[in-house]
Amino acid sequence: MYNNELKNIDSPEKAYLLGLFYSDGCIHSNDGSYCASIVLHEDDKYLLDIIVAKFPFFRLSKYTNHAWSIVCTRKAIVKDLQSNGMYFRKSTDNKELLRLPDIDKELMHHFVRGYFDGDGSVYKQKQGNTKIDIGGTGFNMITGIVRVLYNNKITVNVTCKYAGTSLRKHDYYVLYTSSDKVSKQFADYIYKDCGELYLRRKYERLYYIPEYYRMERLICPTCNGNNTIRMGTRQMLHGLMLRGKCKDCKKQFSITAPQSSDTLSGEGELLES
């Protein structure tokens, strides 16, 4: 039974769920019936299981041969989601009405993580240069996320594409990072205190690639501390250099990467002597 649990978005779990609704969820009404649902690929069913455990007013059901859904058919949940910024046909007719919800700023990174899990991607242009993007049909929604990230010292880019076919062609806005350094900053922001609610495949792709694993354990040559952040990579004639900054002594430094990393420079890096 749904008892207006989503009327007030006042917890990390609710903020994440709202973000997932904004991206991969939908609400609709037809002849007096109401429905709120989220559909994910069968490989991500474990996330729906966690959501149902935390929000038992949802029903888990098989959607297609390769997808599962969570569904709640109470009028109240549709109304509560609408009061928190959701729209019918949010990806088409009402795409320009969709904006960031009015929730506590301390919960916003959980909302962005939910939105990213629904409409975001992690990919490599080249080994060692991991990037993310977040797609959205509405300009206001995407630029709202850009502002949130900028206010947290994460600078991203936005481009506009023309997507779809025939009468369904429309502007499609994409937020994307320009380097693996910024992708790591984005990951650190959205996964802070994330608990169980996140897509593992995206988390692991952002954090467990070899470059990040090594970077977390770099030793600052000035103070011998390991409280370092990654500044980038540069392919030199004698091998790959990892550039970093120490948070303790505030010094920037470069060290030679392990021999096995010599081919891991980012796309567009210059070969320098």
Side-chain angles (χ1 to χ4, degrees):
M1 177 67 69
Y2 178 72
N3 294 308
N4 296 104
E5 286 88 346
L6 299 183
K7 183 175 183 179
N8 296 312
I9 306 301
D10 53 8
S11 72
E13 294 80 9
K14 293 180 183 180
Y16 175 86
L17 181 61
L18 184 64
L20 196 60
F21 258 110
Y22 266 55
S23 54
D24 260 1
C26 71
I27 55 174
H28 66 262
S29 173
N30 183 33
D31 294 331
S33 63
Y34 292 82
C35 181
S37 63
I38 295 173
V39 178
L40 296 180
H41 190 273
E42 62 180 355
D43 291 344
D44 302 322
K45 177 180 174 290
Y46 67 88
L47 180 60
L48 296 180
D49 291 333
I50 294 171
I51 292 174
V52 170
K54 293 181 179 294
F55 302 99
F57 47 82
F58 284 112
R59 181 182 75 256
L60 180 69
S61 63
K62 189 76 170 177
Y63 187 74
T64 67
N65 287 339
H66 301 289
W68 287 78
S69 69
I70 55 171
V71 180
C72 181
T73 56
R74 307 296 295 180
K75 178 179 180 180
I77 192 174
V78 173
K79 296 299 182 183
D80 286 344
L81 288 170
Q82 285 180 305
S83 71
N84 281 294
M86 276 284 289
Y87 287 90
F88 298 126
R89 302 177 302 281
K90 61 179 173 58
S91 299
T92 53
D93 299 352
N94 294 318
K95 63 182 181 180
E96 290 305 332
L97 297 178
L98 198 66
R99 288 171 167 79
L100 286 178
D102 182 17
I103 62 177
D104 191 303
K105 66 179 183 179
E106 297 300 321
L107 297 175
M108 188 56 73
H109 67 286
H110 297 290
F111 173 87
V112 174
R113 185 175 72 257
Y115 195 88
F116 172 69
D117 277 352
D119 278 349
S121 300
V122 183
Y123 62 98
K124 290 185 181 182
Q125 285 190 319
K126 217 174 190 181
Q127 285 188 343
N129 202 24
T130 299
K131 297 188 179 183
I132 66 100
D133 67 34
I134 301 176
T137 54
F139 175 80
N140 293 315
M141 185 65 198
I142 290 298
T143 54
I145 297 177
V146 171
R147 285 192 295 271
V148 166
L149 297 177
Y150 182 81
N151 290 337
N152 285 275
K153 301 181 179 180
I154 304 168
T155 303
V156 296
N157 307 289
V158 177
T159 188
C160 180
K161 300 180 179 180
Y162 198 48
T165 58
S166 188
L167 297 177
R168 293 183 64 84
K169 275 190 172 292
H170 59 273
D171 291 340
Y172 184 80
Y173 296 92
V174 180
L175 170 164
Y176 64 97
T177 58
S178 58
S179 68
D180 50 347
K181 172 191 169 184
V182 180
S183 299
K184 180 63 160 53
Q185 292 173 335
F186 175 81
D188 289 344
Y189 171 70
I190 66 169
Y191 292 119
K192 179 182 178 182
D193 303 322
C194 63
E196 298 178 282
L197 290 175
Y198 62 92
L199 277 181
R200 296 169 188 162
R201 54 186 170 84
K202 293 183 180 181
Y203 178 94
E204 291 171 358
R205 189 159 179 78
L206 277 167
Y207 276 120
Y208 290 122
I209 62 172
E211 296 78 24
Y212 290 150
Y213 185 82
R214 285 193 293 272
M215 184 59 203
E216 292 297 320
R217 289 154 180 80
L218 283 183
I219 302 299
C220 172
T222 302
C223 68
N224 292 321
N226 63 0
N227 186 19
T228 58
I229 58 175
R230 181 171 181 160
M231 302 295 290
T233 60
R234 188 173 296 275
Q235 184 69 55
M236 310 294 281
L237 289 175
H238 62 273
L240 186 70
M241 298 297 293
L242 300 179
R243 293 181 288 125
K245 181 178 180 180
C246 180
K247 292 183 178 181
D248 294 329
C249 69
K250 312 301 181 185
K251 299 290 186 180
Q252 294 188 19
F253 60 88
S254 296
I255 64 172
T256 303
Q259 186 65 34
S260 61
S261 302
D262 284 351
T263 61
L264 296 180
S265 62
E267 184 175 25
E269 291 282 9
L270 297 176
L271 187 66
E272 298 183 355
S273 58

